[in-house]
Amino acid sequence: MAIRLSACSSSSATFFAPSSFCHETETTLKRKNFGIWVCQNNSNFHENKRFELKASNVHPLKAVSLQAGAPANSLATERVVNPVQEDCIPFLETVKEESTLSIVVVGASGDLARRKIFPALFALFNEDRLPENFTIFGYARSIMTDEELRNMISKTLTCRVDKRENCNEKMDAFLKRCFYQSGQYSSEEHFLELDNKLKGKETGRLSNRLFYLAIPPNMFVDVARCAKHRASSENGWTRVIVEKPFGRDTESSRELTRGLKQYLSEDQIFRIDHHLGEELVENLLVLRFSNLVFQPLWSRNYIRNVQLIFSEDFGAEGRGRYFDNYGIIRDIMQNHLLQILALFAMDTPVSLDAEDIRNEKVKVLRSVKPVQLEDVVIGQYKGDCDGNTSYPSYTDDMTVSNNSLTPTFAAATLFINNAQWDGVPFLMIAGKALHSKRNQSSIQACSR
Ligand SMILES: NC(=O)C1=CN([C@@H]2O[C@H](COP(=O)(O)OP(=O)(O)OC[C@H]3O[C@@H](n4cnc5c(N)ncnc54)[C@H](OP(=O)(O)O)[C@@H]3O)[C@@H](O)[C@H]2O)C=CC1
Ligand SMILES: O=C1O[C@H](COP(=O)(O)O)[C@@H](O)[C@H](O)[C@H]1O
């Protein structure tokens, strides 16, 4: 994502590199291993608070700790702090324990698992951020051998931090820890088979299990039930990660929460919006609250409008079964862009703890005026031909019905009904199959 600021009277735009967001004499910017920039601020903004974002379940915000021994069931842990990092912020602390971590990627054959989850797990492994004893199981209905899963995964693994680096040995070691189990998402019998396979790999005194649900949301509750009844850890923690969208409207969202809570307690559920883990989204907090220069400018007095843009240069591409039920507004605007809007417009939180940040976000969201129909444009991409290249239309996709009216493009203007932002339009634009891939937030600045 790029953050762009431009002046009202000028057509030129200024781009800020992340390092220029911090005041040099007062703030140092440290790059953490997992691609997270953290500002350690020596100014008087929460001077006695370390810049550690924590979720309500006491985990670093948006970064699920895969280390053993988090407080869910008060397991004793031994913390090992690397001395050279002592002044750094412990986003993912190293914890040493006699335990095994099993990560089950449910929906392992799908797009999210292939493009994001396995590569992210490898990145953690590559940086020695997974516990010593860990195993990864792919689970889905598709029939696959362990070897076929490994082949599939290996195509998307990269030495992410430095692509020139050779990490082939690490990749091989990682792939050897990956296994596959085929099964239905609602079959307790199949989860029992999975449980047996997991037990076969679990060697430590404690066995922790993490289920990452990379499947359509209508399967979440079935999986939670089967995991709870047949594949929960007997002596460690069991946690479940679910990806947005959490339902398609208020009622289905509440129903999903009710359904999950039949089988899981709140501190076992981790809700993920992966865009919040993007470096520049995280930097928005740093940009806003660690730079004294921005504080007085952050209001209707100096900001004429805000533009939040998310565009992709590819279309549904086989994901129509999911996407066609949701559309671009539910897929991107309601979560990714609205989160950015909230981070952008919220008031200064009492602290950087997740609860305090969330409270401020909620205040802003409550102040958003209902969107007016005349402030919204929607569309769906059509087929096109450019020389020898032809681009299919949305409804050409095999996974989309021929008469679908689902929007793949939307632009909407939102207004926030409070003194700070009164009259400032927040323009959100999101679309698939557009000219470029872009994730950008811009503000146009001016004095009134
Ligand atoms: N892809 C992405 O970039 C992102 C996805 N998400 C969310 O992650 C989840 C998974 O997304 P994604 O991987 O794209 O989805 P996919 O459509 O690729 O589905 C994942 C897997 O689920 C199984 N599946 C698909 N459709 C059904 C169905 N109707 N009934 C039962 N099983 C089905 C398939 O496995 P099999 O047939 O082998 O069982 C498939 O490989 C969704 O909730 C999505 O909203 C969130 C953010 C980004
Ligand atoms: O959540 C989603 O995000 C992806 C884009 O994520 P990115 O990190 O690859 O930019 C989007 O393609 C998908 O439709 C949506 O569900």
Side-chain angles (χ1 to χ4, degrees):
M1 192 184 96
I3 297 182
R4 191 164 89 156
L5 293 92
S6 65
C8 298
S9 53
S10 151
S11 56
S12 68
T14 319
F15 291 84
F16 288 83
S19 55
S20 62
F21 292 156
C22 290
H23 191 290
E24 274 185 11
T25 55
E26 293 185 328
T27 317
T28 49
L29 196 65
K30 298 190 182 216
R31 189 178 163 85
K32 308 303 295 177
N33 289 343
F34 191 40
I36 297 168
W37 286 91
V38 181
C39 237
Q40 222 173 9
N41 194 350
N42 302 324
S43 75
N44 58 5
F45 178 71
H46 303 306
E47 59 188 2
N48 53 4
K49 282 262 171 203
R50 305 190 87 190
F51 201 122
E52 182 185 18
L53 308 184
K54 282 193 175 165
S56 50
N57 42 25
V58 205
H59 280 278
L61 192 65
K62 262 77 70 182
V64 177
S65 170
L66 301 179
Q67 309 290 354
N73 52 3
S74 6
L75 305 174
T77 62
E78 179 197 338
R79 286 185 175 174
V80 181
V81 178
N82 178 347
V84 290
Q85 293 187 334
E86 248 166 13
D87 62 334
C88 297
I89 294 89
F91 258 102
L92 287 172
E93 290 161 332
T94 314
V95 179
K96 197 177 162 196
E97 202 178 346
E98 271 180 58
S99 66
T100 309
L101 174 66
S102 303
I103 302 168
V104 182
V105 181
V106 182
S109 55
D111 181 77
L112 180 71
R114 214 176 35 241
R115 282 196 313 119
K116 305 261 188 218
I117 301 169
F118 289 116
L121 290 172
F122 173 64
L124 289 175
F125 175 71
N126 198 25
E127 293 169 8
D128 301 322
R129 282 165 178 266
L130 288 181
E132 211 167 294
N133 303 316
F134 79 92
T135 312
I136 296 176
F137 264 84
Y139 183 94
R141 297 170 308 174
S142 303
I143 307 293
M144 245 192 274
T145 61
D146 292 342
E147 217 38 59
E148 282 165 337
L149 175 80
R150 289 171 187 159
N151 274 338
M152 184 195 92
I153 300 174
S154 65
K155 295 192 180 107
T156 54
L157 300 188
T158 54
C159 303
R160 210 190 261 195
V161 177
D162 180 353
K163 293 206 167 90
R164 291 158 305 177
E165 187 192 319
N166 183 342
C167 60
N168 289 346
E169 270 178 32
K170 279 264 190 172
M171 278 188 193
D172 288 342
F174 176 80
L175 291 170
K176 280 192 189 127
R177 307 276 196 107
C178 296
F179 302 89
Y180 186 76
Q181 173 71 22
S182 155
Q184 298 293 325
Y185 301 116
S186 56
S187 165
E188 294 197 11
E189 197 187 325
H190 292 169
F191 272 74
L192 193 57
E193 287 170 20
L194 172 69
D195 184 62
N196 285 330
K197 289 266 183 76
L198 294 177
K199 281 184 178 141
K201 306 280 176 209
E202 290 169 341
T203 50
R205 194 167 49 85
L206 300 171
S207 308
N208 297 321
R209 293 185 180 178
L210 176 68
F211 291 84
Y212 200 120
L213 308 196
I215 43 171
N218 56 330
M219 308 303 303
F220 286 174
V221 178
D222 275 334
V223 172
R225 172 177 52 80
C226 295
K228 157 91 182 171
H229 291 158
R230 300 291 174 209
S232 286
S233 167
E234 285 163 12
N235 53 18
W237 50 251
T238 303
R239 294 180 188 155
V240 174
I241 300 182
V242 292
E243 276 270 0
K244 50 84 2 192
F246 313 116
R248 65 189 312 286
D249 53 21
T250 310
E251 190 36 46
S252 56
S253 170
R254 287 193 179 135
E255 200 181 313
L256 179 61
T257 302
R258 274 195 300 270
L260 289 174
K261 290 208 170 163
Q262 279 177 265
Y263 307 108
L264 302 163
S265 57
E266 183 57 38
D267 64 2
Q268 290 181 287
I269 305 171
F270 291 75
R271 297 172 183 82
I272 299 263
D273 178 335
H274 71 266
H275 275 250
L276 292 180
E278 280 197 8
E279 225 164 279
L280 276 164
V281 177
E282 294 203 327
N283 275 345
L284 203 47
L285 285 175
V286 179
L287 168 74
R288 288 201 54 199
F289 301 120
S290 298
N291 287 277
L292 299 181
V293 65
F294 284 120
Q295 293 276 32
L297 305 178
W298 217 258
S299 75
R300 63 185 301 278
N301 294 331
Y302 295 100
I303 293 180
R304 175 173 282 183
N305 63 60
V306 179
Q307 297 157 33
L308 308 174
I309 301 171
F310 177 98
S311 75
E312 288 181 327
D313 54 2
F314 53 90
E317 305 192 358
R319 289 186 66 228
R321 266 190 297 271
Y322 152 72
F323 187 85
D324 207 43
N325 274 319
Y326 287 82
I328 199 77
I329 296 174
R330 291 184 176 93
D331 189 45
I332 300 293
M333 279 189 167
Q334 181 277 334
N335 29 68
H336 300 329
L337 294 188
L338 212 50
Q339 285 283 352
I340 297 173
L341 178 144
L343 284 172
F344 189 96
M346 72 183 188
D347 215 342
T348 310
V350 174
S351 82
L352 291 172
D353 285 350
E355 292 287 322
D356 293 326
I357 293 176
R358 194 196 52 193
N359 290 345
E360 290 307 328
K361 282 186 185 173
V362 169
K363 270 199 240 163
V364 172
L365 294 176
R366 287 212 170 116
S367 307
V368 172
K369 291 185 189 168
V371 181
Q372 301 303 302
L373 215 48
E374 61 265 29
D375 289 335
V376 180
V377 176
I378 56 172
Q380 187 186 85
Y381 64 86
K382 295 288 165 214
D384 195 12
C385 204
D386 179 9
N388 291 333
T389 320
S390 68
Y391 299 94
S393 71
Y394 176 63
T395 50
D396 285 338
D397 195 294
M398 300 284 277
T399 54
V400 171
S401 71
N402 288 337
N403 53 3
S404 169
L405 290 176
T406 301
T408 64
F409 173 88
T413 306
L414 281 70
F415 290 93
I416 298 173
N417 202 8
N418 65 21
Q420 191 177 359
W421 296 112
D422 188 33
V424 177
F426 283 75
L427 177 64
M428 287 185 177
I429 300 178
K432 287 193 173 282
L434 297 176
H435 284 106
S436 59
K437 181 160 168 52
R438 192 153 61 117
N439 193 358
Q440 182 179 303
S441 304
S442 314
I443 56 179
Q444 196 176 23
C446 66
S447 67
R448 287 179 193 262

